[in-house]
Amino acid sequence: ATILGAAKLTGKPGKGWNLGMIHALTQREYAAIDLNGMRDSAQVEPFAYYGVVRTLKEFGQGRKGLGFLGTLVSRDMKDSSLESQMPRSAAAFGLDGWWFLDKSKVWVLSGWWGTSRVNGTSEQIRDLQLGFPHYYGRPDADHITFNPDATSLTGWAGRVELNKEKGNFLFNAAVGAVSPGFDVRDSG
């Protein structure tokens, strides 16, 4: 798709703060179609907005940090045939952070948590639920409920880690979980 305009802003607005943003608008795109000698055109990409915002605050001379990430994709669906192929909108939000447990910055506890929501037609969300990586139709998955009439899909994911980052021996232990509805494929 043709990018109509985009902007990127990064910087350090205050002590210990980091900020980054990217915003872009893409043009509606059409393709020429020749069907049995009849020429026509069809929309293949909608007008769309893509945005990412990332903030991070460091504390205690870089010994602790807390960050936020938000992404949004919003599409203007004038052609109903595209609605079954891609979501109208998708958003993801997350928090992450770390905390060094000792003065030498050898041991660090870190983690992140995120949530996502995809909105579309019931046909498109149905296909999303049944396909990779969600597989709501699995016969062994009695903990999830397939909803053929749903017009949105929401999920969450998270991970906590303990790392030893210096010395002759390194160490990593982590635990994490991802719900079946977590989907960040539109904007990451």
Side-chain angles (χ1 to χ4, degrees):
T2 303
I3 297 173
L4 296 172
K8 173 182 159 184
L9 174 67
T10 62
K12 297 184 178 240
K15 188 175 181 177
W17 281 97
N18 295 297
L19 173 67
M21 289 191 271
I22 298 174
H23 303 279
L25 295 173
T26 60
Q27 179 174 303
R28 197 176 308 280
E29 299 285 350
Y30 295 88
I33 298 173
D34 188 343
L35 183 60
N36 299 328
M38 301 288 290
R39 301 221 19 116
D40 199 1
S41 69
Q43 186 178 333
V44 293
E45 282 290 329
F47 175 76
Y49 164 80
Y50 296 85
V52 178
V53 175
R54 168 72 169 150
T55 63
L56 173 68
K57 172 68 171 154
E58 293 183 17
F59 306 92
Q61 298 159 344
R63 300 176 59 73
K64 300 174 194 172
L66 182 62
F68 167 80
L69 174 70
T71 66
L72 176 65
V73 175
S74 181
R75 298 178 176 101
D76 180 22
M77 301 292 203
K78 280 192 173 178
D79 187 336
S80 61
S81 66
L82 287 180
E83 285 189 313
S84 65
Q85 298 175 33
M86 61 185 72
R88 278 190 304 273
S89 65
F93 302 98
L95 295 172
D96 68 319
W98 74 89
W99 179 18
F100 282 100
L101 302 175
D102 59 328
K103 290 185 183 222
S104 304
K105 293 187 176 180
V106 174
W107 290 92
V108 63
L109 182 64
S110 62
W112 64 269
W113 175 85
T115 185
S116 69
R117 181 178 176 96
V118 179
N119 298 303
T121 64
S122 58
E123 177 186 28
Q124 200 277 323
I125 298 299
R126 181 184 66 237
D127 292 346
L128 194 60
Q129 288 180 80
L130 295 174
F132 171 82
H134 309 290
Y135 301 121
Y136 273 60
R138 294 187 341 239
D140 65 328
D142 57 2
H143 63 285
I144 52 178
T145 304
F146 170 64
N147 180 353
D149 301 318
T151 57
S152 66
L153 182 65
T154 303
W156 57 268
R159 182 179 171 111
V160 175
E161 301 176 4
L162 176 63
N163 293 301
K164 181 179 181 273
E165 298 189 340
K166 293 180 183 176
N168 293 333
F169 298 97
L170 303 178
F171 174 81
N172 173 267
V175 61
V178 179
S179 75
F182 189 66
D183 193 313
V184 292
R185 293 180 291 170
D186 274 283
S187 59

